[in-house]
Amino acid sequence: MRDIAERVGVSIKSVSRVLNGESGVSAATTRCILDVADELGFRRNDLARGLRQRDRTGSVGVVLQRFSTWFFDNLLRGVDEVAERRDCLVITAGSRDADRERNTLLALSSRRVDGLIIEPLADDHAFLRPEQAGGMPLVFVDRPPQGIAADTVLADDAGGAHAATAALIARGHRRIAVLGAAANLHTVAERVRGYRAAHRAARLPVDNTLLVLGQDGSDSAGQELVRLLGGPAPPSAVFALNSVCAIGAARALRELGLQHRIALVGFDDFALADLLDPPITVVAHEVNEMGRVAAERLFAQIDGLAAAPRTIVMPTALLERGSGEIPGPGLR
Amino acid sequence: MRDIAERVGVSIKSVSRVLNGESGVSAATTRCILDVADELGFRRNDLARGLRQRDRTGSVGVVLQRFSTWFFDNLLRGVDEVAERRDCLVITAGSRDADRERNTLLALSSRRVDGLIIEPLADDHAFLRPEQAGGMPLVFVDRPPQGIAADTVLADDAGGAHAATAALIARGHRRIAVLGAAANLHTVAERVRGYRAAHRAARLPVDNTLLVLGQDGSDSAGQELVRLLGGPAPPSAVFALNSVCAIGAARALRELGLQHRIALVGFDDFALADLLDPPITVVAHEVNEMGRVAAERLFAQIDGLAAAPRTIVMPTALLERGSGEIPGPGLR
DNA sequence: ATGAAAGCGCTAACAG
DNA sequence: CTGTTAGCGCTTTCAT
C-alpha cells in the first residue's frame, strides 16, 4: 500500500480506504489509486489486516477425518452454502489420526480462522479449551466431543440403528451380524445400543459373537464377514455401522456369491449405493442439512449470538433399496 | 506473549525464544515460561508471526473443483504425504465455478499460504500473474492453465483415450459414443483427440453426432446416452471422458437393462467401479503419485530450487474389468 | 543468557 | 475529503 500511496502521492490511509471500499475519497483519487494498484498487481496482505482487526480473518475451518466420502462432500456443501452468503472462505483440512487432528486444529486456530467445525477423532478435546476460552467458536459434528462443552450436531444414531435392526428382524432375521469401527466411538456405541434395543423390543437375544467392531477399513470388515459366514452359526443378515464397512460387506458378499441371500443394511448413505447389485439399503440422514445447521450455529457464535452450547440431533430415515429386504430364515 | 513475560518477569523476547525452541535461555527460565504459557493457555498468533517472517505461514493451499471424488482424495493423500514430512499444513478449498475459483485463490494468496496447487477451472489464469510475480509458488494439476506459465502435472489424456478407444475398436465396436464435459476443457479436448486418433489409426470414420460434450452432471450425461441409444443409429459402446459421465452412463444402461449389451469405458477410476455389474473398465493413472509430484514441485519452488516451469505427464493404464470388454457388432 | 527498540503491512481513532 | 498517530503480536537486530 505504501508503494501505491507514494506513487499516487496520497497518504497510505486513502489507499486503504479505497481498497476496502470505504467512502470518503474523491472519485478521481479513487480511480487513480485503483489504476496504480492494478498496475502494481497489488494484493492486500490479509495477515496484517487480520492482525489489526481483532483477528478476524473471514475464514472458517472444517476439520474432517477424511474427505472424499459422500458424507463429507455433502456436509461441506451445506457449510459452504451458509458461508457463501457471508463471503466467508471455508478451508478444510484432514485429520487422519488423533495426533494430526490436534496439530491441524491448533494450527488453524493459530492462523486465526474465525471458527472451527470439527469431526472429533481424538478421545479428548480438552486441549481446545484455551481456544474456546479465547473466543474461538467451535462446532462439533457427527460425534460429541469429550472434555469440552460446545455446540454439537449429530445424527440420531440409536434411532436409526433401531429402525434398521427392527426392519431386519421383521423380515425374519434372527442372527444379524454387526460390522463397525472402534467401540469407543460415540457413533458406534450408539448404533450398537439401537441394535440391542431393537432386539430387546422384539424379545430376541443378542449373540455377542456376531458383533465385530474395531474395523477401520473395507477390506478388514469384509474379511471378518467372510469369517462369520464360514463359522458354525452364520448370520443371515449384516448391519454395517458405517459406509466403509457396508462397502466391505457388499464386496465380500459379492465374492462369495451371497449378495442375494444375505441381507445387508448400512448406516450412512454413500455414492453408488443405489447402483450396486442389489442396491444397498441404508440408514440415511440429511447430511447437507447437518452441514448447514453446523455452519449456522458457528456463525451465531461468531456473531456473539450464541447461548449455551446445544446438541442438535438430525433425524434418520431407512432407505429401502433391496439389499436390506432379503428375507431371513424366519420367512423363507 | 507479553502476559507471559510480565507474569514471569522476563522480557518478551525470552518468551519468544522459549516458545520457538531457540537456544539461549536458562533451563530454569525456560521451565517457568513453559509453565505459565500452559497455565494461560497461550497460543502463538501465527498471523503476527507470518507478518514478521517474510510471510511464511507453513501452509500450502490446494484448490479443487470438488472434493469427494476418488480422484481428489487420492491427490490430496499424495500431497499430504509430502507436506507432512515438512510439517506443513495442507488446507484445501473448493472452487465450484470459475468465479469462486478466482475468489478462493486470491483469498488464500492474501492469507499468504506458502504455495498453491490448483486444478484450474477458469479459462484464463492470468489473474494469478501478480501472485506469481510476487513469489507465490504455483503448481497446476490435471489441466494446464491458460495465460500463465507454471509447473503443471497432467495425465496422458490423449494416450489414455487412444488406448481405450483402440480397445473398443478391437472388440468390434464401430459406433462409439463419447460423453464428456465442456469441449473447451483441455482434458476433454485431449481425450477427444485420442479418440479420433484411434479411429484414424484403424482407418475408421468418426460420426460426430456420437460426441456429446458439455455434460457436467451424471444425470444429464445419462439422459444424453438414452437419447443416443433410442436414435436411428445407436452406438454399441460408450467412452465416458470422466467418472461423472461414466457413472451417469452406467446408471442409464442399467435402467435400460443394457448394461451387458453396450460396452462402457470411463476415463479416471472411481470408488466402487469394480463392484458394479458389470465392473467398469477405466483408464486410470496414479493419482496419488500425481499429488506427490505436484507437491514436490511446489516445495522445490518454495525452497527456491525450481528451474523453469515444467509440464509432467503421468502415464495411464487401461484397467479391464468387464464393462469395456463386451464385444461389438463386428464380433458378435 | 537476556533485553530494548524497530518494524512487518495494515487499520482504528482521531484530527484537520 | 484527507492525513497523522498509534499499535495489532510477533520476530529481527543489535546491544548488554
Side-chain angles (χ1 to χ4, degrees):
Chain A
M1 283 200 182
R2 216 186 36 215
D3 286 356
I4 302 178
E6 275 170 17
R7 239 17 196 231
V8 179
V10 293
S11 86
I12 191 177
K13 177 65 209 179
S14 292
V15 177
S16 168
R17 276 198 258 261
V18 170
L19 263 24
N20 287 299
E22 289 172 38
S23 61
V25 183
S26 76
T29 320
T30 299
R31 233 213 127 59
C32 197
I33 288 174
L34 250 25
D35 284 353
V36 174
D38 209 51
E39 185 186 326
L40 257 44
F42 172 81
R43 303 287 191 237
R44 184 178 60 202
N45 185 330
D46 281 353
L47 250 40
R49 180 188 164 85
L51 184 57
R52 198 60 185 63
Q53 289 188 325
R54 220 191 125 231
D55 290 335
R56 287 275 156 132
T57 57
S59 54
V60 297
V62 181
V63 177
L64 306 175
Q65 184 172 5
R66 44 178 130 199
F67 311 105
S68 99
T69 58
W70 179 91
F71 185 87
F72 287 116
D73 189 48
N74 278 283
L75 189 87
L76 277 174
R77 219 188 296 283
V79 173
D80 238 37
E81 252 174 59
V82 178
E84 193 180 6
R85 276 185 242 137
R86 310 192 26 141
D87 237 352
C88 181
L89 179 70
V90 177
I91 68 187
T92 71
S95 63
R96 316 223 182 254
D97 57 62
D99 249 21
R100 302 188 58 196
E101 182 199 22
R102 188 191 153 103
N103 288 342
T104 303
L105 250 16
L106 293 182
L108 284 175
S109 165
S110 280
R111 237 140 283 187
R112 298 299 191 262
V113 291
D114 296 341
L116 243 17
I117 292 179
I118 306 161
E119 174 201 18
L121 196 56
D123 291 336
D124 186 0
H125 283 77
F127 67 87
L128 282 175
R129 276 195 201 158
E131 330 297 319
Q132 195 182 41
M136 174 68 69
L138 257 29
V139 175
F140 291 84
V141 291
D142 199 42
R143 295 192 273 274
Q146 304 284 315
I148 191 170
D151 279 334
T152 304
V153 187
L154 308 173
D156 178 13
D157 294 299
H162 189 123
T165 310
L168 288 169
I169 290 173
R171 302 262 177 197
H173 294 282
R174 293 297 173 265
R175 294 185 59 74
I176 305 170
V178 171
L179 254 31
N184 64 322
L185 289 178
H186 178 264
T187 41
V188 172
E190 283 295 290
R191 291 168 196 182
V192 168
R193 197 161 70 77
Y195 168 87
R196 289 189 189 280
H199 279 77
R200 209 175 313 118
R203 298 172 193 284
L204 290 172
V206 168
D207 177 354
N208 286 319
T209 66
L210 290 175
L211 302 194
V212 183
L213 305 181
Q215 307 307 306
D216 64 352
S218 286
D219 294 343
S220 71
Q223 283 157 20
E224 288 298 317
L225 179 55
V226 170
R227 181 179 62 70
L228 283 178
L229 288 170
S236 66
V238 187
F239 179 31
L241 300 189
N242 62 39
S243 59
V244 168
C245 288
I247 289 166
R251 188 167 272 128
L253 290 176
R254 160 82 163 255
E255 274 159 18
L256 295 172
L258 292 175
Q259 71 269 35
H260 295 288
R261 305 270 308 157
I262 304 288
L264 171 62
V265 178
F267 203 113
D268 282 342
D269 205 356
F270 56 94
L272 299 185
D274 61 319
L275 249 195
L276 298 186
D277 178 42
I280 309 296
T281 292
V282 297
V283 177
H285 57 109
E286 294 292 339
V287 184
N288 238 287
E289 180 66 15
M290 187 182 229
R292 228 172 293 131
V293 169
E296 269 154 15
R297 288 302 295 177
L298 191 71
F299 286 118
Q301 287 185 49
I302 290 174
D303 295 339
L305 305 172
R310 256 173 49 192
T311 295
I312 297 164
V313 177
M314 313 290 299
T316 60
L318 186 65
L319 300 186
E320 306 202 325
R321 295 197 174 116
S323 73
E325 293 76 66
I326 296 169
L331 292 181
R332 267 202 288 241
Chain B
M1 283 198 183
R2 215 188 35 214
D3 286 357
I4 302 178
E6 276 171 16
R7 214 94 147 203
V8 180
V10 293
S11 86
I12 190 175
K13 177 63 212 178
S14 292
V15 177
S16 168
R17 275 198 259 262
V18 169
L19 263 24
N20 288 299
E22 289 172 38
S23 62
V25 182
S26 74
T29 320
T30 300
R31 231 213 130 55
C32 195
I33 288 175
L34 251 24
D35 283 352
V36 174
D38 210 50
E39 185 187 325
L40 257 45
F42 173 80
R43 302 290 191 235
R44 184 177 62 202
N45 186 330
D46 281 352
L47 251 40
R49 179 187 164 89
L51 184 57
R52 201 61 184 70
Q53 289 187 325
R54 222 192 125 231
D55 290 337
R56 287 274 155 131
T57 57
S59 55
V60 298
V62 181
V63 177
L64 306 175
Q65 185 172 4
R66 44 179 132 201
F67 312 105
S68 97
T69 58
W70 179 90
F71 185 87
F72 287 115
D73 189 48
N74 278 282
L75 189 88
L76 278 175
R77 220 188 295 283
V79 172
D80 239 36
E81 253 174 57
V82 178
E84 192 179 6
R85 275 185 242 135
R86 310 191 27 141
D87 238 351
C88 181
L89 179 70
V90 177
I91 66 187
T92 71
S95 64
R96 315 220 182 255
D97 57 63
D99 250 21
R100 302 188 57 194
E101 182 197 22
R102 189 191 153 104
N103 288 342
T104 302
L105 250 18
L106 294 182
L108 284 174
S109 164
S110 281
R111 237 140 281 188
R112 297 299 190 263
V113 291
D114 296 341
L116 245 14
I117 293 180
I118 307 161
E119 173 200 20
L121 196 55
D123 291 336
D124 186 0
H125 284 77
F127 68 87
L128 283 176
R129 275 195 200 156
E131 331 295 320
Q132 196 181 39
M136 174 68 66
L138 257 27
V139 175
F140 291 84
V141 291
D142 199 43
R143 297 192 272 273
Q146 305 283 316
I148 191 168
D151 280 333
T152 305
V153 187
L154 307 172
D156 178 13
D157 294 300
H162 188 124
T165 311
L168 288 170
I169 290 173
R171 303 262 176 195
H173 293 282
R174 292 298 173 265
R175 295 185 58 72
I176 304 170
V178 171
L179 254 31
N184 63 325
L185 290 178
H186 177 264
T187 41
V188 172
E190 282 296 291
R191 291 169 194 180
V192 168
R193 197 161 70 77
Y195 168 88
R196 289 189 189 282
H199 281 78
R200 209 176 311 116
R203 298 173 194 286
L204 290 171
V206 168
D207 177 352
N208 286 319
T209 66
L210 290 176
L211 302 194
V212 183
L213 305 182
Q215 306 308 307
D216 64 351
S218 286
D219 293 343
S220 71
Q223 283 157 21
E224 288 298 316
L225 179 55
V226 170
R227 182 180 60 71
L228 283 178
L229 288 170
S236 67
V238 187
F239 179 32
L241 300 188
N242 62 39
S243 59
V244 168
C245 289
I247 289 166
R251 188 168 272 129
L253 290 176
R254 159 85 163 255
E255 273 159 18
L256 296 172
L258 292 174
Q259 70 269 36
H260 294 288
R261 304 270 310 157
I262 305 287
L264 171 62
V265 177
F267 203 113
D268 283 343
D269 204 356
F270 56 93
L272 299 186
D274 61 317
L275 248 197
L276 298 186
D277 177 42
I280 309 296
T281 292
V282 296
V283 178
H285 56 110
E286 294 291 340
V287 184
N288 238 286
E289 180 66 14
M290 187 181 231
R292 226 173 292 132
V293 169
E296 269 153 13
R297 290 299 297 175
L298 191 72
F299 286 118
Q301 287 185 50
I302 290 174
D303 295 338
L305 304 172
R310 258 172 50 192
T311 295
I312 297 164
V313 177
M314 313 293 298
T316 60
L318 186 64
L319 300 187
E320 305 202 324
R321 295 196 174 119
S323 73
E325 292 76 66
I326 296 168
L331 291 181
R332 267 202 288 237

